Amino acid sequence: MDTEPRTVRANGIAQAYRVRGPADAPPVVLLRARGADGSDRAGIAPAPAARPRRVYAPDLRGHGGSDRPGGYAYEAVRDDVLALLGALGTCRTTGR
């Protein structure tokens, strides 16, 4: 994984993420339980990236380098992840 997080604005907040693997490879998203940040996935990221895959490890809202908006419902986290992937061009979302 990149040691420095990248940041994109999606779902109304700044979201930090780390990335590894070729830009044109199929994406894999590594999510963790609520806590810490995407850097804790650095140890497992090389395996999927070696296939090749483009591996993303986001910092969920309120963690790591992402904004702390004060609302942490699972639906908000879901919407953040979908918006992040849409902003990165890895998938198209249908809005909620």
Side-chain angles (χ1 to χ4, degrees), residues 5-18 31 57-67 76-85 87-88:
R6 301 174 185 193
T7 305
V8 67
R9 188 149 192 91
N11 200 31
I13 65 170
Q15 296 189 50
Y17 66 97
R18 290 166 178 81
L31 297 177
D59 296 352
L60 300 179
R61 62 174 43 217
H63 297 90
S66 292
D67 281 349
V77 174
R78 172 203 61 208
D79 293 346
D80 290 347
V81 172
L82 291 174
L84 172 68
L85 295 176
L88 296 174

Side-chain angles (χ1 to χ4, degrees), residues 64-77:
S66 292
D67 281 349
R68 291 159 172 73
Y72 302 99
Y74 287 109
E75 295 81 5
V77 174

Side-chain angles (χ1 to χ4, degrees), residues 2-57:
D2 286 347
T3 55
E4 294 298 319
R6 301 174 185 193
T7 305
V8 67
R9 188 149 192 91
N11 200 31
I13 65 170
Q15 296 189 50
Y17 66 97
R18 290 166 178 81
V19 64
R20 180 181 189 128
D24 60 345
V28 172
V29 180
L30 302 178
L31 297 177
R32 62 162 284 105
R34 293 166 69 162
D37 61 33
S39 67
D40 67 338
R41 296 295 186 225
I44 65 170
R51 290 195 173 119
R53 298 285 188 262
R54 180 80 163 167
V55 180
Y56 296 93

